Amino acid sequence: MDYHLSAFNFITYCLVTNKKELKQVRKKYGIPKQDLPIKQDGAKVSFLYFEVGTLAVVQLHDTEHELHEVLGLLAHECVHIKQQVMDDIGERKPSDEFEAYFLQDLVTKLTKDYLSKTAA
């Protein structure tokens, strides 16, 4: 399980693709099951707030879609992470380049995580 610190250290995020990984995240961060329930299918991002920062957990429990559709789901969830970060830091009009680089970093890391988990 890889945990990533976003560009500019705004948020920590990870990709979960099965129940075992979700349990690992809950255990590592002391998250009660009801605060981070499993997403049965499709994709979802959950935000958890701690004194030391924010954790975004992207769940992708979907094996029915083709790769290009899964990558689209990951990009979709990355946009939600970017939106939440911009809201959290009070950034209403980020520059185009800031927004693009931030999103690129999220998508690149989560895509790499997904591909490494499904390569086996």
Side-chain angles (χ1 to χ4, degrees):
M1 170 77 69
D2 290 321
Y3 295 88
H4 304 285
L5 191 56
S6 73
F8 307 104
N9 303 333
F10 292 132
I11 194 168
T12 300
Y13 59 99
C14 63
L15 175 66
V16 169
T17 58
N18 58 53
K19 289 180 183 180
K20 181 181 175 185
E21 291 175 347
L22 186 61
K23 287 179 184 179
Q24 289 173 346
V25 172
R26 286 184 192 134
K27 183 177 180 180
K28 178 178 176 78
Y29 286 91
I31 303 166
K33 191 173 184 177
Q34 68 271 14
D35 290 348
L36 187 59
I38 191 164
K39 170 77 172 153
Q40 294 298 330
D41 60 353
K44 161 187 171 171
V45 63
S46 300
F47 297 96
L48 299 129
Y49 298 91
F50 301 94
E51 287 183 26
V52 295
T54 302
L55 174 67
V57 179
V58 177
Q59 292 189 56
L60 181 61
H61 302 283
D62 192 334
T63 57
E64 299 297 317
H65 290 90
E66 292 185 32
L67 180 59
H68 67 279
E69 295 171 311
V70 171
L71 297 178
L73 288 170
L74 280 175
H76 176 101
E77 298 308 324
C78 287
V79 169
H80 288 309
I81 294 171
K82 182 207 61 89
Q83 290 168 336
Q84 186 64 50
V85 167
M86 295 302 111
D87 189 52
D88 288 350
I89 66 171
E91 183 64 59
R92 301 291 173 244
K93 293 210 174 236
S95 74
D96 291 346
E97 284 302 302
F98 173 84
E99 197 170 19
Y101 279 120
F102 191 83
L103 190 56
Q104 177 185 351
D105 184 59
L106 295 169
V107 172
T108 299
K109 288 177 181 165
L110 289 183
T111 298
K112 181 179 178 185
D113 289 351
Y114 178 78
L115 293 174
S116 71
K117 290 177 185 201
T118 58

